[in-house]
Amino acid sequence: MEPTPEQSPHHAYPDHWEADVVLRDGGTARIRPITTDDAERLVSFYEQVSDESKYYRFFAPYPRLSARDVHRFTHHDYVDRVGLAVTIGGEFIATVRFDRINDQGRPASAPADEAEVAFLVQDAHQGRGVASALLEHIAAVARERGIRRFAAEVLPANNKMIKVFRDAGFTQQRSFEDGSVHLTLDLEPTAESLAVQRAREQRAEARSVQRLLAPGSVAVVGVGRAPGGVGRTVLRNLLGSGFTGRAYAVNTSFPEETETVEGVPAHRSVGGIGEQVDLAVVAVPADRVPEAVADCGEHGVQGLVVLSAGYAERGAEGRERQRELVRQARSYGMRIIGPNAFGIINTSDTVRLNASLAPESPKAGRIGLFTQSGAIGIAVLSGLHRRGAGLSAFISAGNRADVSGNDFLQYWFEDQGTDVALLYLESLGNPRKFTRLARRTAAVKPVVVVKGARHSGANPPGHAVPVSRIPDATVSALMRQAGVIRVDTVTEMVDVGLLLAGQPLPDGPRVAILGNSESLGLLTYDACLAEGLRPRPPRDLTTAAGPGDFRDALAEALADRKCDAVIVTAIPWVGENGEAETGDGEVLAAALREAAATGPAKPVAVVHVEMGGLAQALAVAASTATPPGTRPAASTATRPATSTATPPGTRPAAPIATEQGARSADPEPPAPSPAPAASGGRSEGTAPAAPPEEVDAAGRIPAYPAAERAVRALAEAVKYAQWRRQAAVPGRVPEFLDDTIDEHGTAGLIETLLGPDPDPRGRPLTHDEARELLARYGVAVRPALPAPDPEAAVAAAGTLGYPVALKTTAPHLRHRADLGGVRLDLANENALRRAYAELTDLLGSPAELRPVVQAMAPRGVDTVVRASIDAAAGAVLSFGLAGAPSELLGDTAHRLVPATDRDAAELIRSIRAAPVLFGWRGAAPADTAALEELLLRVSRLVDDHPEVVSVTLEPVVVATQGLTVLGASVRLAPPPARSDLGPRRLPSY
């Protein structure tokens, strides 16, 4: 909204305070500053507030607002007097205001840093988390205006408001004065306030997704009068899935006499239904969508799935249409999947929702699938179906203008019906939030991601996201740090997902290989080595081996304590007549299931070649499988839970899932293990018992048509299990660093260096400025003295002491010893003068070369340490060996800032050239402890001071004892906005 002429132009309307938020019940609302245009809205709002709430607000009966009150509550300077309103459908449902006060509690202006705050929420909207969201936003506004404390007077009987303040997580003081509770809140964010904010965010966003996936009623808007068309197809799919709720067909063109379509009530509008509609599937042309959204919003629909195309994928006009769609839906408190979506599916027996264009719902399972592409979604659904796997939920979000993969990570984190989350993403709307949510979710269940559009240099059509400058390899490393299993293809995503959903996590990388083909065993062995696993020599059962031999060999391998996983390889038997016998696959499947059921719980995968019988034996019910309608008890060990009828140390018989198809039994999935590490692909806690129709994904043995695919899936499981074990005991930032870090002094130095009116593009620091700044964080950079002529070089060497190095600092020659721009170990004046002459004769004049003299450092390994702030991903810490390894081969490791001691240790060890630091070929090991400390100091610097947007230390020479930083470059700039640290808000593109 725009300011009126009565408002001071010096205090312009702060449109950046406007925000859409998700409330506790999953609905949305808009928070914005109050303006003079809101007088009528304010009066209408106040009339709908109960007398009790008015009494709590004003400490006395206050039936109506006077004209003076209305003027005071709608006229603000947005500095000392600020008012915010929460709106739904354009009408107020809550307000908050603060007035700056001095030490005596009287109205004041800056530099007074305290303000009195008061809230009022309509009774009909109390309990939805409105006041909590308002407190987050008004606190952020106050901090922006230099206010550091809130004071509030609350009547003792107003328990709801007292609880809002108490639960916010801010440091507070409370006293009882003159019959009221006096509260003082310190507005500086704390670890507790941030944790509270994120917990509320998780509950609200998860609830908003749950409302979309589990509606009690669905209206399909745009159902054609004749068979065919998108709307009619969705309605038929909805009914065909056995949807447990009420369904309605809506089309403004239905004749008055039309009462039913496909056997469900038909209406000309959502308003004409006359009953609550929870979800609307919109399948009308784009130019008619606004009318449909208004119809839904005005009649209480909670969420929309917009299948209609013609939005941001169609260019600038479509992008504006998409923005308006989101604004319109949110104004009514609705969330949107889409537009240009394929739809959503929920296989839960209590819902059975197929609000999509998929003609057949997948069977129920324990895998959740989110995709930004309808075509990819179809392919994955088909692949999972062929291999007998089921899904808990499927979402194809299209342009994902509103609901995104982040929202579904919030939902799946606590969803006990989902054990593995699969995501196909073409863009990351909020990378920092994605990393945070993925790390939390991956700590309890696997998150497998395929990232499309990795190298296109542009976002897919329709996806408006922050621009990131970091390369895809860095994105992949940061995902790994967060515990995300990133794979390259959709096929790999399915392969890994099936293994994680059906098998326990391995305790380590030791793999037993057994089968009836020596060649296939050797291929599997080689693939294991290539993936970093530790395979044992393949056990060849020979082509004469029968199912019983396989059973005995698998049981023996599972019982071996030196084995963490087993890969079974199988080819058809060759009969006496020399022909392959493929029909014995069923018998082999039964034998493998028997061994897996009675052995210790370790992951098993099958590699098969042309085993037709095996393909037809998929998921055949075993006699020892858990009976339908029951649930095994949860285990406290690091193994999946087993049925109480199953002997300890064993597991239920496992069906085998392969590429060709499946017939599935219907036993219940086991309860997830509560162990935080290596407990299998199931989440923590105890999920409710599932219906008999649900597929028992746990214990299903995945089968692969190629050794490489099975091994790659197992390798990802091994890495993920290791991450889970480490994540159970998180790293820390060593406290001893605080004694050598001058955070306050560094802030003052940065403010001085940037100046009163800093250039938004920032500025590079000089060598001396960089040295001074880094020294305040305990990073010593060896001085380099300028040498514009030979005499200056000799004088510099005399100051520093021989031996010295002579180096050029021209940008095109920096760190290029291979071009002759660096001369080392100059032991005396003659050697220095000779080197100076050779340098200038070969490469150019001193003015071009900008030579410097530097004291020699102890010999060691040349490394490079970098930190930079990316607008989308945040601060990233990088490490590699200097020169060709990092620049030519890209052998660089990355971690998000702030880095812990474990991150620093892993950063050094995760590059391919790491052995050079640890005594490669008999060399003395480098001082990696000193290197880890340096990494932590740099991480702390950029985390404490976001104005430090780039740091490069090159080379850092790591000797056997200690290290030397020979070169440093630092860039300062005004800090980029941190959307992940502010109050909760939905993205607006």
Side-chain angles (χ1 to χ4, degrees):
M1 299 182 65
E2 296 299 325
T4 67
E6 296 181 37
Q7 294 171 332
S8 168
H10 180 66
H11 304 140
Y13 178 82
D15 55 8
H16 64 287
W17 293 350
E18 295 181 353
D20 293 314
V21 297
V22 183
L23 302 178
R24 182 181 300 156
D25 61 359
T28 65
R30 185 159 186 79
I31 296 177
R32 65 168 177 83
I34 298 174
T35 74
T36 56
D37 292 335
D38 290 321
E40 291 185 6
R41 294 185 184 89
L42 181 65
V43 171
S44 175
F45 156 73
Y46 194 77
E47 290 175 348
Q48 298 177 62
V49 176
S50 70
D51 291 340
E52 181 184 45
S53 294
K54 293 173 182 176
Y55 187 89
Y56 285 154
R57 169 66 176 84
F58 293 103
F59 290 22
Y62 217 87
R64 63 187 58 85
L65 296 175
S66 66
R68 181 178 180 182
D69 291 331
V70 173
H71 183 276
R72 181 163 65 96
F73 292 151
T74 56
H75 286 69
H76 306 95
D77 61 10
Y78 303 126
V79 176
D80 301 324
R81 301 183 312 282
V82 172
L84 300 181
V86 182
T87 67
I88 294 179
E91 298 301 321
F92 286 9
I93 66 166
T95 62
V96 64
R97 67 175 278 122
F98 73 68
D99 295 88
R100 195 188 300 259
I101 58 176
N102 59 21
D103 294 340
Q104 289 75 42
R106 298 183 178 277
S109 298
D113 61 357
E114 185 171 339
E116 189 174 37
V117 66
F119 294 77
L120 186 59
V121 181
Q122 268 184 14
D123 297 69
H125 294 279
Q126 291 178 11
R128 300 184 65 197
V130 175
S132 298
L134 263 182
L135 178 56
E136 290 178 18
H137 283 262
I138 197 69
V141 168
R143 290 192 296 268
E144 181 181 325
R145 294 310 193 209
I147 292 171
R148 297 291 173 257
R149 291 181 305 282
F150 273 162
E153 300 289 337
V154 185
L155 287 175
N158 193 356
N159 294 318
K160 292 181 180 178
M161 199 64 241
I162 292 175
K163 188 175 188 301
V164 168
F165 287 120
R166 184 185 67 227
D167 294 348
F170 293 118
T171 302
Q172 57 185 270
Q173 296 178 339
R174 186 187 309 182
S175 61
F176 188 78
E177 301 174 8
D178 300 327
S180 66
V181 178
H182 180 79
L183 294 166
T184 302
L185 276 74
D186 186 339
L187 300 183
E188 187 66 25
T190 65
E192 183 181 357
S193 69
L194 187 60
V196 168
Q197 176 180 314
R198 289 178 173 174
R200 288 172 174 166
E201 173 193 65
Q202 188 276 325
R203 288 193 298 268
E205 293 179 358
R207 174 59 179 156
S208 72
V209 170
Q210 195 271 339
R211 297 203 319 179
L212 292 165
L213 286 178
S217 55
V218 176
V220 181
V221 182
V223 174
R225 288 174 289 177
V230 173
R232 192 73 170 245
T233 299
V234 172
L235 179 61
R236 297 191 67 174
N237 294 343
L238 177 68
L239 300 176
S241 66
F243 177 54
T244 59
R246 303 181 306 279
Y248 305 95
V250 176
N251 190 328
T252 57
S253 300
F254 281 153
E256 292 289 348
E257 62 273 14
T258 302
E259 295 184 357
T260 63
V261 172
E262 299 287 349
V264 303
H267 299 274
R268 294 168 59 86
S269 67
V270 173
I273 294 174
E275 298 181 12
Q276 173 65 39
V277 174
D278 297 328
L279 177 69
V281 181
V282 180
V284 300
D287 58 351
R288 291 177 50 199
V289 168
E291 176 187 351
V293 172
D295 183 25
C296 293
E298 291 168 4
H299 295 93
V301 174
Q302 297 179 348
L304 304 174
V305 176
V306 181
L307 308 184
S308 310
Y311 288 89
E313 77 278 5
R314 298 288 177 86
E317 182 180 350
R319 282 194 295 272
E320 183 53 40
R321 185 183 296 121
Q322 182 167 299
R323 293 189 187 101
E324 183 54 39
L325 168 64
V326 174
R327 285 193 289 264
Q328 183 186 15
R330 287 180 179 172
S331 73
Y332 290 111
M334 299 184 293
R335 301 210 67 183
I336 299 174
I337 290 180
N340 196 27
F342 187 74
I344 61 176
I345 297 174
N346 183 355
T347 63
S348 169
D349 191 59
T350 60
V351 181
R352 295 200 297 269
L353 171 74
N354 180 2
S356 78
L357 296 172
E360 183 178 350
S361 290
K363 64 178 65 176
R366 311 286 295 176
I367 298 174
L369 173 62
F370 175 91
T371 172
Q372 291 178 359
S373 163
I376 295 296
I378 294 170
V380 177
L381 285 175
S382 177
L384 290 169
H385 175 73
R386 286 196 310 271
R387 301 176 72 172
L391 292 175
S392 60
F394 164 75
I395 307 93
S396 176
N399 293 0
R400 64 127 186 82
D402 180 25
V403 177
S404 69
N406 284 347
D407 295 289
F408 281 91
L409 283 177
Q410 299 276 38
Y411 173 73
W412 282 326
F413 169 70
E414 62 180 13
D415 178 35
Q416 296 181 356
T418 301
D419 292 339
V420 179
L422 307 183
L423 297 95
Y424 171 78
L425 305 175
E426 293 178 346
S427 59
L428 296 176
N430 189 336
R432 296 190 197 209
K433 183 176 179 179
F434 174 82
T435 302
R436 169 169 57 87
L437 300 185
R439 178 190 291 271
R440 184 189 59 188
T441 304
V444 295
K445 62 186 67 173
V447 177
V448 187
V449 171
V450 175
K451 176 69 168 63
R454 291 180 295 167
H455 306 297
S456 64
N459 294 316
H463 294 192
V465 300
V467 176
S468 176
R469 296 182 299 272
I470 60 178
D472 182 71
T474 305
V475 174
S476 184
L478 300 183
M479 284 189 178
R480 291 284 183 186
Q481 182 187 4
V484 173
I485 302 170
R486 181 173 180 182
V487 294
D488 294 329
T489 69
V490 170
T491 299
E492 290 180 8
M493 178 174 71
V494 174
D495 286 345
V496 175
L498 288 176
L499 180 69
L500 292 170
Q503 295 293 302
L505 293 179
D507 285 339
R510 301 169 301 179
V511 181
I513 303 168
L514 61 93
N516 62 350
S517 168
E518 181 181 11
S519 299
L520 191 53
L522 290 174
L523 287 173
T524 305
Y525 181 87
D526 291 342
C528 286
L529 291 176
E531 293 292 339
L533 300 177
R534 291 165 52 190
R536 301 176 63 183
R539 180 177 176 182
D540 183 14
L541 304 179
T542 76
T543 56
D549 299 312
F550 274 88
R551 179 195 60 221
D552 295 342
L554 177 56
E556 183 180 339
L558 290 172
D560 188 347
R561 294 186 177 183
K562 297 180 180 179
C563 161
D564 301 311
V566 182
I567 296 179
V568 178
T569 64
I571 63 172
W573 288 273
V574 178
E576 295 180 0
N577 59 359
E579 295 182 2
E581 298 180 2
T582 61
D584 287 334
E586 265 190 43
V587 182
L588 175 59
L592 295 178
R593 288 199 305 270
E594 181 182 351
T598 57
K602 297 177 182 180
V604 178
V606 174
V607 178
H608 68 98
V609 177
E610 298 299 331
M611 290 289 291
L614 186 62
Q616 294 158 6
L618 298 173
V620 174
S623 59
T624 56
T626 307
T630 63
R631 172 168 295 278
S635 169
T636 57
T638 59
R639 292 288 184 274
T642 58
S643 168
T644 54
T646 305
T650 65
R651 58 182 175 186
I656 298 179
T658 76
E659 291 272 16
Q660 283 73 24
R663 297 193 306 274
S664 175
D666 299 321
E668 290 303 310
S673 166
S679 59
R682 269 71 65 194
S683 62
E684 295 181 346
T686 302
E693 290 77 17
E694 185 174 339
V695 173
D696 182 13
R700 181 184 298 276
I701 300 176
Y704 304 87
E708 296 78 10
R709 289 173 57 179
V711 170
R712 192 172 296 120
L714 179 59
E716 294 295 350
V718 169
K719 287 183 282 190
Y720 171 68
Q722 182 182 10
W723 182 89
R724 280 274 290 268
R725 288 189 289 270
Q726 293 175 344
V729 184
R732 63 182 182 87
V733 177
E735 296 181 0
F736 72 87
L737 291 181
D738 295 340
D739 298 332
T740 54
I741 287 176
D742 181 8
E743 184 176 347
H744 180 74
T746 303
L749 177 60
I750 289 173
E751 184 177 359
T752 300
L753 292 172
L754 282 174
D757 187 22
D759 187 337
R761 296 170 298 179
R763 56 156 295 202
L765 300 188
T766 65
H767 176 75
D768 290 339
E769 290 171 340
R771 286 188 66 230
E772 181 182 2
L773 178 69
L774 291 167
R776 292 177 183 268
Y777 269 68
V779 178
V781 181
R782 183 152 292 202
L785 303 181
D789 55 56
E791 300 305 322
V794 171
T799 301
L800 298 173
Y802 291 98
V804 296
L806 179 66
K807 306 189 296 184
T808 64
T809 59
H812 66 288
L813 294 173
R814 187 185 295 270
H815 310 307
R816 292 300 305 276
D818 55 318
L819 298 181
V822 179
R823 304 301 171 92
L824 304 176
D825 284 321
L826 305 177
N828 51 52
E829 179 178 339
N830 290 336
L832 176 59
R833 289 183 180 276
R834 184 167 57 253
Y836 198 98
E838 293 173 353
L839 201 68
T840 52
D841 289 344
L842 177 65
L843 299 176
S845 67
E848 296 175 298
L849 302 182
R850 308 177 199 173
V852 296
V853 174
Q854 199 169 40
M856 284 296 298
R859 294 288 185 180
V861 180
D862 288 359
T863 66
V864 56
V865 174
R866 292 189 177 93
S868 61
I869 295 182
D870 180 80
V876 178
L877 182 67
S878 305
F879 170 78
L881 298 192
S886 58
E887 296 177 15
L888 178 63
L889 302 178
D891 187 16
T892 306
H894 313 274
R895 293 293 185 274
L896 283 176
V897 168
T900 66
D901 52 357
R902 176 175 293 162
D903 291 329
E906 291 175 352
L907 199 60
I908 294 171
R909 290 159 177 81
S910 58
I911 60 173
R912 297 190 299 276
V916 174
L917 294 164
F918 294 92
W920 182 59
R921 299 179 70 176
D927 190 350
T928 53
L931 186 55
E932 290 171 17
E933 182 179 332
L934 175 67
L935 288 165
L936 291 169
R937 290 181 183 275
V938 174
S939 169
R940 178 76 181 274
L941 172 64
V942 297
D943 189 45
D944 289 345
H945 306 284
E947 300 88 351
V948 182
V949 296
S950 175
V951 176
T952 299
L953 307 182
E954 185 179 12
V956 177
V957 182
V958 188
T960 55
Q961 291 187 348
L963 55 77
T964 307
V965 181
L966 296 181
S969 61
V970 178
R971 186 174 188 84
L972 301 182
R978 288 288 302 272
S979 60
D980 57 323
L981 293 182
R984 290 174 285 158
R985 64 171 61 212
L986 289 170
S988 56
Y989 303 125

